[in-house]
């Protein structure tokens, strides 16, 4: 058991690189680093957002590919936000955060894709509404 | 194990775990108090609070995903009413997106100021964040009101129910976050950077950034993909 020269439970003590980190929080970081991260995040986000708005409804690329391109840009921008604004990294101190995020993403994926999948099949296999209404006594 | 010379120990560890996955840097021997490792008790409060709020945010995002799924399923269920392409106004969406993105940026700057323990700049950036959020909510309200004046209300069709549900839920989140922001400004002003105040600022930052992440999904899936073919 180590004797630290500070009490890790008091806030004044700096978090050091041996601690786990919560998202949106980093140890012993200077304000300048936060500002630099924010600047980078804003820069990337602006580029991705402008690209998405220019692409939507334009004829710059093959029409049916536009929704896919928009989704790719959106996912990229979410990634930028996670890294530069929420400070989620791949480091060992972030393992818990990333695992929780991965679980969340899995649930989101199941809900969205599952709903679309099931409802599409239901739609295709269901009798058209007017026929269904005629069958009613 | 500790009897081995340091170099042999190092070679053994590098061979068994070359990328040092899940390990810390070399600190003092033994688990570190307050880091949540080993038998040294629970982690630092700052970590517990932030991580707990992260779990809450993920559950919030799961809730949003249900509304996204409803929207995706109901997108074409217009019941003869207006379709998505007819109710989207791109200039307003662009302005809303800009406001929310900038507010996310200023929110990050406010936390940089918090880290530097600078009350003035924390307050200034929080205020800018709040004003940008207010502008966002105002534009969204204006959109909803102008739609309602054209008779486009949630009860018109399944599509409109899911549209107003998804966009409205996000707007509600931003509104509540705005109230939270106002109370945080008051707390920073009156109580200063006490430990629990900083914890709340961490949580508020996470919440605000998460709202922006959800908005990325909304402006892409609802608005931008709505004006396409």
């Amino acid at each position: 058991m180590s004797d630290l020269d500070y009490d890790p439970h008091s806030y004044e003590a700096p978090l050091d690189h041996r601690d786990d980190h919560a998202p949106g929080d980093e140890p012993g970081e200077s304000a300048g680093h936060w500002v630099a991260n924010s600047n980078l995040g804003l820069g990337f986000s602006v580029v991705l957002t402008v690209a998405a708005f220019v692409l939507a409804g334009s004829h710059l690329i093959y029409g049916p590919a536009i929704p896919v391109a928009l989704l790719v840009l959106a996912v990229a921008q979410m990634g930028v936000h996670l890294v530069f604004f929420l400070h989620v990294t791949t480091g060992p101190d972030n393992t818990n955060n990333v695992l929780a995020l991965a679980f969340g993403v899995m649930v989101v994926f199941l809900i969205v894709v599952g709903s679309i999948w099931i409802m599409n099949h239901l739609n295709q296999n269901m009798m058209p509404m007017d026929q269904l209404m005629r069958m009613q006594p | 194990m500790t009897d081995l010379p340091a170099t042999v120990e190092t070679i053994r560890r590098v061979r068994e775990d070359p990328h040092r996955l899940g390990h810390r840097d070399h600190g003092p021997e033994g688990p570190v108090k307050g880091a949540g490792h080993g038998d040294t008790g629970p982690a630092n409060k700052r970590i517990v609070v932030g991580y707990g709020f992260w779990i809450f945010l993920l559950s919030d995002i799961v809730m949003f995903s249900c509304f996204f799924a409803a929207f995706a399923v109901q997108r074409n269920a217009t019941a003869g009413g207006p379709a998505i392409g007819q109710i989207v106004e791109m200039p307003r969406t662009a302005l809303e997106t800009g406001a929310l993105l900038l507010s996310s940026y200023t929110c990050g700057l406010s936390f940089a100021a918090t880290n530097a323990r600078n009350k003035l700049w924390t307050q200034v950036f929080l205020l800018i964040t709040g004003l940008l959020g207010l502008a966002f909510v105002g534009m969204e309200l204006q959109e909803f009101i102008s739609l309602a004046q054209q008779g486009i209300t949630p009860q018109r069709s399944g599509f409109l129910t899911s549209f107003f549900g998804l966009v409205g839920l996000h707007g509600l989140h931003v509104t509540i976050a705005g109230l939270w922001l106002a109370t945080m400004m008051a707390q920073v002003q009156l109580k200063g950077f006490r430990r629990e105040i900083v914890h709340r600022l961490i949580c508020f930052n996470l919440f605000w950034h998460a709202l922006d992440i959800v908005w990325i999904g909304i402006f892409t899936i609802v608005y931008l993909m709505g004006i396409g073919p």
Side-chain angles (χ1 to χ4, degrees), chain A residues 8-9 11 17-20 23 25 31 34 38-39 74 81 86 96-97 100 111 115 119, chain B residues 24-25 27-28 32-33 35 37 44 46-47 51 54 58 105 112 115 117 195 206 212 220:
Chain A
H9 288 275
Y11 173 69
H17 51 274
R18 291 183 306 278
D19 286 335
D20 266 344
D25 194 16
W34 273 89
S38 296
N39 287 340
H81 274 62
L86 291 173
N96 285 333
N97 306 335
I111 289 176
S115 298
M119 295 309 284
Chain B
R24 313 294 126 175
D25 288 348
V32 177
K33 212 169 95 185
H37 304 126
N44 194 317
R46 184 177 166 123
I47 297 165
Y51 186 66
W54 179 235
L58 290 170
Y105 174 65
N115 271 348
R117 295 291 176 274
R195 196 198 308 184
L206 285 174
D212 201 20
T220 301

mmCIF file of all heavy atoms in Angstrom, chain A residues 8-9 11 17-20 23 25 31 34 38-39 74 81 86 96-97 100 111 115 119, chain B residues 24-25 27-28 32-33 35 37 44 46-47 51 54 58 105 112 115 117 195 206 212 220:
data_model
loop_
_atom_site.group_PDB
_atom_site.id
_atom_site.type_symbol
_atom_site.label_atom_id
_atom_site.label_comp_id
_atom_site.label_asym_id
_atom_site.label_seq_id
_atom_site.Cartn_x
_atom_site.Cartn_y
_atom_site.Cartn_z
ATOM 1 N N PRO A 8 -5.933 11.352 -2.021
ATOM 2 C CA PRO A 8 -6.580 11.232 -3.318
ATOM 3 C C PRO A 8 -8.077 11.532 -3.258
ATOM 4 O O PRO A 8 -8.700 11.728 -4.278
ATOM 5 C CB PRO A 8 -6.336 9.789 -3.720
ATOM 6 C CG PRO A 8 -5.578 9.170 -2.637
ATOM 7 C CD PRO A 8 -5.446 10.102 -1.501
ATOM 8 N N HIS A 9 -8.646 11.520 -2.069
ATOM 9 C CA HIS A 9 -10.086 11.759 -1.982
ATOM 10 C C HIS A 9 -10.419 13.235 -1.900
ATOM 11 O O HIS A 9 -11.572 13.607 -1.979
ATOM 12 C CB HIS A 9 -10.678 11.021 -0.776
ATOM 13 C CG HIS A 9 -10.713 9.543 -1.011
ATOM 14 N ND1 HIS A 9 -11.744 8.917 -1.672
ATOM 15 C CD2 HIS A 9 -9.823 8.571 -0.712
ATOM 16 C CE1 HIS A 9 -11.490 7.622 -1.759
ATOM 17 N NE2 HIS A 9 -10.326 7.393 -1.186
ATOM 18 N N TYR A 11 -10.404 16.954 -3.487
ATOM 19 C CA TYR A 11 -10.386 17.416 -4.859
ATOM 20 C C TYR A 11 -9.104 18.157 -5.184
ATOM 21 O O TYR A 11 -8.616 18.097 -6.300
ATOM 22 C CB TYR A 11 -11.579 18.315 -5.124
ATOM 23 C CG TYR A 11 -11.452 18.895 -6.474
ATOM 24 C CD1 TYR A 11 -11.584 18.060 -7.573
ATOM 25 C CD2 TYR A 11 -11.091 20.208 -6.652
ATOM 26 C CE1 TYR A 11 -11.383 18.538 -8.831
ATOM 27 C CE2 TYR A 11 -10.891 20.691 -7.910
ATOM 28 C CZ TYR A 11 -11.041 19.857 -8.990
ATOM 29 O OH TYR A 11 -10.826 20.336 -10.231
ATOM 30 N N HIS A 17 -1.895 10.050 -13.539
ATOM 31 C CA HIS A 17 -2.101 9.150 -14.662
ATOM 32 C C HIS A 17 -2.380 7.725 -14.228
ATOM 33 O O HIS A 17 -2.594 6.871 -15.055
ATOM 34 C CB HIS A 17 -0.883 9.201 -15.579
ATOM 35 C CG HIS A 17 0.402 9.006 -14.831
ATOM 36 N ND1 HIS A 17 1.052 10.057 -14.231
ATOM 37 C CD2 HIS A 17 1.113 7.906 -14.568
ATOM 38 C CE1 HIS A 17 2.141 9.596 -13.624
ATOM 39 N NE2 HIS A 17 2.198 8.306 -13.817
ATOM 40 N N ARG A 18 -2.341 7.447 -12.910
ATOM 41 C CA ARG A 18 -2.672 6.092 -12.483
ATOM 42 C C ARG A 18 -4.161 5.926 -12.227
ATOM 43 O O ARG A 18 -4.653 4.837 -12.121
ATOM 44 C CB ARG A 18 -1.889 5.725 -11.223
ATOM 45 C CG ARG A 18 -0.406 5.573 -11.471
ATOM 46 C CD ARG A 18 0.314 5.145 -10.205
ATOM 47 N NE ARG A 18 0.028 6.036 -9.097
ATOM 48 C CZ ARG A 18 0.654 7.199 -8.904
ATOM 49 N NH1 ARG A 18 1.562 7.591 -9.742
ATOM 50 N NH2 ARG A 18 0.353 7.934 -7.861
ATOM 51 N N ASP A 19 -4.891 7.039 -12.129
ATOM 52 C CA ASP A 19 -6.308 6.965 -11.828
ATOM 53 C C ASP A 19 -7.113 6.588 -13.070
ATOM 54 O O ASP A 19 -6.693 6.838 -14.185
ATOM 55 C CB ASP A 19 -6.819 8.321 -11.341
ATOM 56 C CG ASP A 19 -6.363 8.608 -9.929
ATOM 57 O OD1 ASP A 19 -6.108 7.637 -9.201
ATOM 58 O OD2 ASP A 19 -6.261 9.793 -9.576
ATOM 59 N N ASP A 20 -8.292 6.013 -12.812
ATOM 60 C CA ASP A 20 -9.282 5.937 -13.866
ATOM 61 C C ASP A 20 -9.799 7.339 -14.114
ATOM 62 O O ASP A 20 -9.703 8.200 -13.252
ATOM 63 C CB ASP A 20 -10.459 5.056 -13.418
ATOM 64 C CG ASP A 20 -10.272 3.628 -13.882
ATOM 65 O OD1 ASP A 20 -9.435 3.418 -14.770
ATOM 66 O OD2 ASP A 20 -10.971 2.745 -13.363
ATOM 67 N N PRO A 23 -15.485 10.293 -18.258
ATOM 68 C CA PRO A 23 -15.499 11.064 -19.499
ATOM 69 C C PRO A 23 -15.619 12.547 -19.183
ATOM 70 O O PRO A 23 -16.176 12.920 -18.164
ATOM 71 C CB PRO A 23 -16.745 10.568 -20.221
ATOM 72 C CG PRO A 23 -17.330 9.499 -19.409
ATOM 73 C CD PRO A 23 -16.648 9.441 -18.099
ATOM 74 N N ASP A 25 -13.297 14.430 -18.392
ATOM 75 C CA ASP A 25 -12.413 14.778 -17.295
ATOM 76 C C ASP A 25 -11.042 14.201 -17.590
ATOM 77 O O ASP A 25 -10.925 13.096 -18.089
ATOM 78 C CB ASP A 25 -12.955 14.172 -15.998
ATOM 79 C CG ASP A 25 -12.279 14.762 -14.785
ATOM 80 O OD1 ASP A 25 -11.642 15.807 -14.940
ATOM 81 O OD2 ASP A 25 -12.396 14.172 -13.701
ATOM 82 N N ALA A 31 -5.317 24.359 -18.699
ATOM 83 C CA ALA A 31 -6.451 24.927 -19.425
ATOM 84 C C ALA A 31 -6.135 25.023 -20.907
ATOM 85 O O ALA A 31 -7.004 24.863 -21.752
ATOM 86 C CB ALA A 31 -6.798 26.303 -18.870
ATOM 87 N N TRP A 34 -7.133 21.986 -22.833
ATOM 88 C CA TRP A 34 -8.585 21.927 -23.062
ATOM 89 C C TRP A 34 -8.975 22.831 -24.211
ATOM 90 O O TRP A 34 -9.779 22.472 -25.064
ATOM 91 C CB TRP A 34 -9.337 22.358 -21.809
ATOM 92 C CG TRP A 34 -9.577 21.226 -20.875
ATOM 93 C CD1 TRP A 34 -8.757 20.809 -19.877
ATOM 94 C CD2 TRP A 34 -10.708 20.361 -20.862
ATOM 95 N NE1 TRP A 34 -9.313 19.738 -19.251
ATOM 96 C CE2 TRP A 34 -10.505 19.437 -19.824
ATOM 97 C CE3 TRP A 34 -11.855 20.276 -21.639
ATOM 98 C CZ2 TRP A 34 -11.426 18.437 -19.540
ATOM 99 C CZ3 TRP A 34 -12.761 19.288 -21.343
ATOM 100 C CH2 TRP A 34 -12.549 18.380 -20.312
ATOM 101 N N SER A 38 -10.698 21.840 -27.690
ATOM 102 C CA SER A 38 -11.963 22.426 -28.119
ATOM 103 C C SER A 38 -11.829 23.039 -29.506
ATOM 104 O O SER A 38 -12.713 22.883 -30.353
ATOM 105 C CB SER A 38 -12.419 23.494 -27.124
ATOM 106 O OG SER A 38 -12.673 22.911 -25.875
ATOM 107 N N ASN A 39 -10.705 23.737 -29.734
ATOM 108 C CA ASN A 39 -10.501 24.347 -31.045
ATOM 109 C C ASN A 39 -10.479 23.289 -32.140
ATOM 110 O O ASN A 39 -11.121 23.437 -33.177
ATOM 111 C CB ASN A 39 -9.177 25.119 -31.066
ATOM 112 C CG ASN A 39 -9.261 26.393 -30.261
ATOM 113 O OD1 ASN A 39 -10.354 26.890 -30.003
ATOM 114 N ND2 ASN A 39 -8.125 26.904 -29.857
ATOM 115 N N ALA A 74 -22.155 12.036 -40.290
ATOM 116 C CA ALA A 74 -22.725 12.180 -38.939
ATOM 117 C C ALA A 74 -21.943 11.342 -37.935
ATOM 118 O O ALA A 74 -21.592 11.816 -36.851
ATOM 119 C CB ALA A 74 -24.193 11.771 -38.939
ATOM 120 N N HIS A 81 -16.825 14.622 -31.637
ATOM 121 C CA HIS A 81 -17.339 15.151 -30.375
ATOM 122 C C HIS A 81 -16.867 14.300 -29.200
ATOM 123 O O HIS A 81 -16.482 14.820 -28.163
ATOM 124 C CB HIS A 81 -18.865 15.176 -30.398
ATOM 125 C CG HIS A 81 -19.412 16.421 -31.028
ATOM 126 N ND1 HIS A 81 -19.162 16.747 -32.337
ATOM 127 C CD2 HIS A 81 -20.181 17.407 -30.537
ATOM 128 C CE1 HIS A 81 -19.759 17.901 -32.602
ATOM 129 N NE2 HIS A 81 -20.392 18.317 -31.537
ATOM 130 N N LEU A 86 -15.729 15.299 -25.328
ATOM 131 C CA LEU A 86 -15.962 14.429 -24.171
ATOM 132 C C LEU A 86 -14.680 13.767 -23.679
ATOM 133 O O LEU A 86 -14.674 13.118 -22.647
ATOM 134 C CB LEU A 86 -16.991 13.355 -24.522
ATOM 135 C CG LEU A 86 -18.409 13.899 -24.717
ATOM 136 C CD1 LEU A 86 -19.325 12.791 -25.223
ATOM 137 C CD2 LEU A 86 -18.953 14.435 -23.426
ATOM 138 N N ASN A 96 -13.271 1.642 -18.835
ATOM 139 C CA ASN A 96 -14.653 1.565 -18.374
ATOM 140 C C ASN A 96 -15.566 2.433 -19.221
ATOM 141 O O ASN A 96 -16.675 2.020 -19.583
ATOM 142 C CB ASN A 96 -14.748 2.017 -16.907
ATOM 143 C CG ASN A 96 -14.224 0.954 -15.982
ATOM 144 O OD1 ASN A 96 -14.259 -0.222 -16.313
ATOM 145 N ND2 ASN A 96 -13.734 1.374 -14.828
ATOM 146 N N ASN A 97 -15.117 3.644 -19.523
ATOM 147 C CA ASN A 97 -15.939 4.552 -20.314
ATOM 148 C C ASN A 97 -16.229 3.972 -21.692
ATOM 149 O O ASN A 97 -17.353 4.019 -22.181
ATOM 150 C CB ASN A 97 -15.225 5.897 -20.490
ATOM 151 C CG ASN A 97 -14.821 6.501 -19.172
ATOM 152 O OD1 ASN A 97 -15.425 6.207 -18.153
ATOM 153 N ND2 ASN A 97 -13.785 7.323 -19.187
ATOM 154 N N ALA A 100 -18.667 0.993 -21.537
ATOM 155 C CA ALA A 100 -20.048 1.448 -21.362
ATOM 156 C C ALA A 100 -20.574 2.023 -22.665
ATOM 157 O O ALA A 100 -21.707 1.740 -23.073
ATOM 158 C CB ALA A 100 -20.121 2.502 -20.246
ATOM 159 N N ILE A 111 -31.955 -1.475 -31.258
ATOM 160 C CA ILE A 111 -33.284 -0.854 -31.256
ATOM 161 C C ILE A 111 -33.619 -0.291 -32.639
ATOM 162 O O ILE A 111 -34.680 -0.571 -33.203
ATOM 163 C CB ILE A 111 -33.349 0.261 -30.191
ATOM 164 C CG1 ILE A 111 -33.339 -0.362 -28.795
ATOM 165 C CG2 ILE A 111 -34.602 1.104 -30.374
ATOM 166 C CD1 ILE A 111 -33.293 0.650 -27.679
ATOM 167 N N SER A 115 -35.977 -2.334 -35.167
ATOM 168 C CA SER A 115 -37.295 -1.751 -35.448
ATOM 169 C C SER A 115 -37.532 -1.635 -36.945
ATOM 170 O O SER A 115 -38.582 -2.034 -37.458
ATOM 171 C CB SER A 115 -37.415 -0.372 -34.808
ATOM 172 O OG SER A 115 -37.295 -0.463 -33.424
ATOM 173 N N MET A 119 -40.400 -3.828 -38.777
ATOM 174 C CA MET A 119 -41.560 -3.113 -39.305
ATOM 175 C C MET A 119 -41.624 -3.200 -40.821
ATOM 176 O O MET A 119 -42.701 -3.248 -41.396
ATOM 177 C CB MET A 119 -41.527 -1.652 -38.852
ATOM 178 C CG MET A 119 -41.672 -1.468 -37.371
ATOM 179 S SD MET A 119 -43.070 -2.343 -36.676
ATOM 180 C CE MET A 119 -44.417 -1.297 -37.211
ATOM 181 N N ARG B 24 -1.486 0.285 -15.449
ATOM 182 C CA ARG B 24 -1.098 1.686 -15.260
ATOM 183 C C ARG B 24 0.382 1.840 -15.531
ATOM 184 O O ARG B 24 1.117 0.864 -15.618
ATOM 185 C CB ARG B 24 -1.352 2.114 -13.818
ATOM 186 C CG ARG B 24 -2.667 1.733 -13.269
ATOM 187 C CD ARG B 24 -3.797 2.441 -13.949
ATOM 188 N NE ARG B 24 -4.723 1.415 -14.408
ATOM 189 C CZ ARG B 24 -5.875 1.645 -14.975
ATOM 190 N NH1 ARG B 24 -6.244 2.868 -15.212
ATOM 191 N NH2 ARG B 24 -6.644 0.665 -15.338
ATOM 192 N N ASP B 25 0.784 3.088 -15.566
ATOM 193 C CA ASP B 25 2.219 3.341 -15.561
ATOM 194 C C ASP B 25 2.776 2.939 -14.209
ATOM 195 O O ASP B 25 2.038 2.677 -13.273
ATOM 196 C CB ASP B 25 2.495 4.824 -15.792
ATOM 197 C CG ASP B 25 2.198 5.204 -17.216
ATOM 198 O OD1 ASP B 25 2.014 4.271 -18.020
ATOM 199 O OD2 ASP B 25 2.113 6.396 -17.493
ATOM 200 N N GLY B 27 3.778 3.466 -10.835
ATOM 201 C CA GLY B 27 3.693 4.445 -9.776
ATOM 202 C C GLY B 27 4.388 3.858 -8.587
ATOM 203 O O GLY B 27 5.284 3.028 -8.738
ATOM 204 N N PRO B 28 3.967 4.254 -7.410
ATOM 205 C CA PRO B 28 4.447 3.592 -6.216
ATOM 206 C C PRO B 28 4.012 2.129 -6.274
ATOM 207 O O PRO B 28 3.035 1.804 -6.938
ATOM 208 C CB PRO B 28 3.734 4.329 -5.084
ATOM 209 C CG PRO B 28 3.162 5.563 -5.694
ATOM 210 C CD PRO B 28 3.001 5.303 -7.141
ATOM 211 N N VAL B 32 -3.068 2.076 -5.798
ATOM 212 C CA VAL B 32 -3.096 3.466 -5.376
ATOM 213 C C VAL B 32 -4.410 3.768 -4.683
ATOM 214 O O VAL B 32 -5.468 3.431 -5.180
ATOM 215 C CB VAL B 32 -2.931 4.390 -6.595
ATOM 216 C CG1 VAL B 32 -3.024 5.839 -6.178
ATOM 217 C CG2 VAL B 32 -1.617 4.105 -7.278
ATOM 218 N N LYS B 33 -4.303 4.409 -3.542
ATOM 219 C CA LYS B 33 -5.503 4.770 -2.813
ATOM 220 C C LYS B 33 -6.334 5.761 -3.631
ATOM 221 O O LYS B 33 -5.796 6.710 -4.188
ATOM 222 C CB LYS B 33 -5.114 5.414 -1.475
ATOM 223 C CG LYS B 33 -6.089 5.150 -0.364
ATOM 224 C CD LYS B 33 -5.489 5.594 0.966
ATOM 225 C CE LYS B 33 -5.926 6.990 1.292
ATOM 226 N NZ LYS B 33 -5.323 7.557 2.481
ATOM 227 N N ALA B 35 -7.867 5.280 -6.405
ATOM 228 C CA ALA B 35 -7.949 5.031 -7.832
ATOM 229 C C ALA B 35 -8.971 3.945 -8.149
ATOM 230 O O ALA B 35 -9.266 3.672 -9.293
ATOM 231 C CB ALA B 35 -6.588 4.644 -8.390
ATOM 232 N N HIS B 37 -8.634 0.759 -7.512
ATOM 233 C CA HIS B 37 -7.999 -0.504 -7.856
ATOM 234 C C HIS B 37 -7.609 -1.269 -6.597
ATOM 235 O O HIS B 37 -7.273 -0.671 -5.581
ATOM 236 C CB HIS B 37 -6.738 -0.256 -8.679
ATOM 237 C CG HIS B 37 -7.002 0.547 -9.901
ATOM 238 N ND1 HIS B 37 -6.315 1.686 -10.197
ATOM 239 C CD2 HIS B 37 -7.930 0.395 -10.852
ATOM 240 C CE1 HIS B 37 -6.781 2.187 -11.310
ATOM 241 N NE2 HIS B 37 -7.770 1.437 -11.721
ATOM 242 N N ASN B 44 -12.110 7.645 -6.345
ATOM 243 C CA ASN B 44 -12.294 9.067 -6.103
ATOM 244 C C ASN B 44 -13.715 9.495 -6.481
ATOM 245 O O ASN B 44 -14.242 9.092 -7.495
ATOM 246 C CB ASN B 44 -11.273 9.776 -6.994
ATOM 247 C CG ASN B 44 -11.098 11.206 -6.645
ATOM 248 O OD1 ASN B 44 -12.079 11.896 -6.402
ATOM 249 N ND2 ASN B 44 -9.863 11.655 -6.613
ATOM 250 N N ARG B 46 -14.839 12.173 -7.670
ATOM 251 C CA ARG B 46 -14.899 12.847 -8.967
ATOM 252 C C ARG B 46 -15.082 11.833 -10.098
ATOM 253 O O ARG B 46 -15.824 12.058 -11.055
ATOM 254 C CB ARG B 46 -13.598 13.634 -9.142
ATOM 255 C CG ARG B 46 -13.509 14.469 -10.393
ATOM 256 C CD ARG B 46 -12.196 15.241 -10.354
ATOM 257 N NE ARG B 46 -11.873 15.800 -11.639
ATOM 258 C CZ ARG B 46 -11.662 17.097 -11.831
ATOM 259 N NH1 ARG B 46 -11.757 17.943 -10.838
ATOM 260 N NH2 ARG B 46 -11.352 17.543 -13.030
ATOM 261 N N ILE B 47 -14.394 10.679 -9.977
ATOM 262 C CA ILE B 47 -14.511 9.647 -11.000
ATOM 263 C C ILE B 47 -15.868 8.974 -10.917
ATOM 264 O O ILE B 47 -16.531 8.747 -11.926
ATOM 265 C CB ILE B 47 -13.384 8.607 -10.816
ATOM 266 C CG1 ILE B 47 -12.036 9.278 -11.020
ATOM 267 C CG2 ILE B 47 -13.563 7.464 -11.777
ATOM 268 C CD1 ILE B 47 -10.891 8.444 -10.503
ATOM 269 N N TYR B 51 -18.481 9.106 -13.949
ATOM 270 C CA TYR B 51 -18.796 7.829 -14.601
ATOM 271 C C TYR B 51 -20.276 7.511 -14.469
ATOM 272 O O TYR B 51 -20.913 7.052 -15.430
ATOM 273 C CB TYR B 51 -17.953 6.714 -13.988
ATOM 274 C CG TYR B 51 -18.119 5.391 -14.695
ATOM 275 C CD1 TYR B 51 -17.691 5.245 -16.011
ATOM 276 C CD2 TYR B 51 -18.721 4.318 -14.065
ATOM 277 C CE1 TYR B 51 -17.848 4.048 -16.666
ATOM 278 C CE2 TYR B 51 -18.877 3.112 -14.719
ATOM 279 C CZ TYR B 51 -18.438 2.983 -16.021
ATOM 280 O OH TYR B 51 -18.611 1.806 -16.678
ATOM 281 N N TRP B 54 -22.134 9.472 -16.894
ATOM 282 C CA TRP B 54 -21.903 8.913 -18.233
ATOM 283 C C TRP B 54 -22.881 7.773 -18.501
ATOM 284 O O TRP B 54 -23.454 7.652 -19.579
ATOM 285 C CB TRP B 54 -20.457 8.448 -18.312
ATOM 286 C CG TRP B 54 -19.963 7.816 -19.577
ATOM 287 C CD1 TRP B 54 -19.369 6.595 -19.676
ATOM 288 C CD2 TRP B 54 -19.959 8.383 -20.888
ATOM 289 N NE1 TRP B 54 -19.014 6.361 -20.971
ATOM 290 C CE2 TRP B 54 -19.369 7.437 -21.738
ATOM 291 C CE3 TRP B 54 -20.413 9.577 -21.426
ATOM 292 C CZ2 TRP B 54 -19.202 7.652 -23.107
ATOM 293 C CZ3 TRP B 54 -20.259 9.792 -22.790
ATOM 294 C CH2 TRP B 54 -19.657 8.839 -23.601
ATOM 295 N N LEU B 58 -25.781 7.576 -21.392
ATOM 296 C CA LEU B 58 -25.950 6.488 -22.352
ATOM 297 C C LEU B 58 -27.390 5.983 -22.327
ATOM 298 O O LEU B 58 -27.973 5.688 -23.369
ATOM 299 C CB LEU B 58 -24.963 5.357 -22.053
ATOM 300 C CG LEU B 58 -23.509 5.728 -22.364
ATOM 301 C CD1 LEU B 58 -22.562 4.677 -21.829
ATOM 302 C CD2 LEU B 58 -23.313 5.887 -23.851
ATOM 303 N N TYR B 105 -18.908 24.287 -28.116
ATOM 304 C CA TYR B 105 -17.534 24.791 -28.071
ATOM 305 C C TYR B 105 -17.333 25.690 -26.850
ATOM 306 O O TYR B 105 -16.385 25.511 -26.068
ATOM 307 C CB TYR B 105 -17.260 25.551 -29.375
ATOM 308 C CG TYR B 105 -15.926 26.255 -29.421
ATOM 309 C CD1 TYR B 105 -14.744 25.536 -29.409
ATOM 310 C CD2 TYR B 105 -15.861 27.635 -29.512
ATOM 311 C CE1 TYR B 105 -13.532 26.180 -29.467
ATOM 312 C CE2 TYR B 105 -14.654 28.287 -29.578
ATOM 313 C CZ TYR B 105 -13.486 27.550 -29.550
ATOM 314 O OH TYR B 105 -12.287 28.202 -29.610
ATOM 315 N N ALA B 112 -12.557 24.606 -19.460
ATOM 316 C CA ALA B 112 -11.132 24.960 -19.417
ATOM 317 C C ALA B 112 -10.898 26.048 -18.385
ATOM 318 O O ALA B 112 -9.944 25.998 -17.598
ATOM 319 C CB ALA B 112 -10.663 25.412 -20.798
ATOM 320 N N ASN B 115 -11.095 24.559 -14.986
ATOM 321 C CA ASN B 115 -9.848 23.890 -14.633
ATOM 322 C C ASN B 115 -8.802 24.886 -14.176
ATOM 323 O O ASN B 115 -7.981 24.583 -13.301
ATOM 324 C CB ASN B 115 -9.307 23.112 -15.840
ATOM 325 C CG ASN B 115 -9.857 21.707 -15.867
ATOM 326 O OD1 ASN B 115 -10.452 21.253 -14.888
ATOM 327 N ND2 ASN B 115 -9.668 21.018 -16.977
ATOM 328 N N ARG B 117 -9.547 27.493 -12.637
ATOM 329 C CA ARG B 117 -10.140 28.167 -11.468
ATOM 330 C C ARG B 117 -10.346 29.653 -11.724
ATOM 331 O O ARG B 117 -10.039 30.491 -10.874
ATOM 332 C CB ARG B 117 -9.265 27.962 -10.225
ATOM 333 C CG ARG B 117 -9.180 26.518 -9.780
ATOM 334 C CD ARG B 117 -10.512 26.063 -9.225
ATOM 335 N NE ARG B 117 -10.487 24.657 -8.874
ATOM 336 C CZ ARG B 117 -10.742 23.670 -9.738
ATOM 337 N NH1 ARG B 117 -11.035 23.948 -10.992
ATOM 338 N NH2 ARG B 117 -10.718 22.431 -9.352
ATOM 339 N N ARG B 195 -15.615 21.451 -4.275
ATOM 340 C CA ARG B 195 -15.455 20.163 -4.930
ATOM 341 C C ARG B 195 -16.740 19.722 -5.618
ATOM 342 O O ARG B 195 -16.758 19.332 -6.775
ATOM 343 C CB ARG B 195 -15.022 19.130 -3.894
ATOM 344 C CG ARG B 195 -14.473 17.879 -4.519
ATOM 345 C CD ARG B 195 -14.463 16.735 -3.564
ATOM 346 N NE ARG B 195 -13.811 17.081 -2.298
ATOM 347 C CZ ARG B 195 -13.620 16.211 -1.330
ATOM 348 N NH1 ARG B 195 -13.988 14.963 -1.495
ATOM 349 N NH2 ARG B 195 -13.062 16.573 -0.198
ATOM 350 N N LEU B 206 -20.890 17.255 -19.699
ATOM 351 C CA LEU B 206 -21.200 16.003 -20.387
ATOM 352 C C LEU B 206 -22.592 16.069 -21.003
ATOM 353 O O LEU B 206 -22.801 15.677 -22.155
ATOM 354 C CB LEU B 206 -21.130 14.838 -19.396
ATOM 355 C CG LEU B 206 -19.746 14.375 -18.984
ATOM 356 C CD1 LEU B 206 -19.857 13.319 -17.907
ATOM 357 C CD2 LEU B 206 -19.023 13.809 -20.185
ATOM 358 N N ASP B 212 -25.608 17.895 -28.052
ATOM 359 C CA ASP B 212 -25.119 18.222 -29.384
ATOM 360 C C ASP B 212 -24.931 16.962 -30.222
ATOM 361 O O ASP B 212 -25.208 16.950 -31.420
ATOM 362 C CB ASP B 212 -23.800 18.995 -29.266
ATOM 363 C CG ASP B 212 -23.517 19.797 -30.531
ATOM 364 O OD1 ASP B 212 -24.475 20.047 -31.282
ATOM 365 O OD2 ASP B 212 -22.364 20.172 -30.759
ATOM 366 N N THR B 220 -29.092 15.228 -39.301
ATOM 367 C CA THR B 220 -28.743 14.375 -40.434
ATOM 368 C C THR B 220 -29.935 13.538 -40.879
ATOM 369 O O THR B 220 -30.327 13.562 -42.046
ATOM 370 C CB THR B 220 -27.575 13.444 -40.052
ATOM 371 O OG1 THR B 220 -26.472 14.238 -39.666
ATOM 372 C CG2 THR B 220 -27.201 12.566 -41.219
#
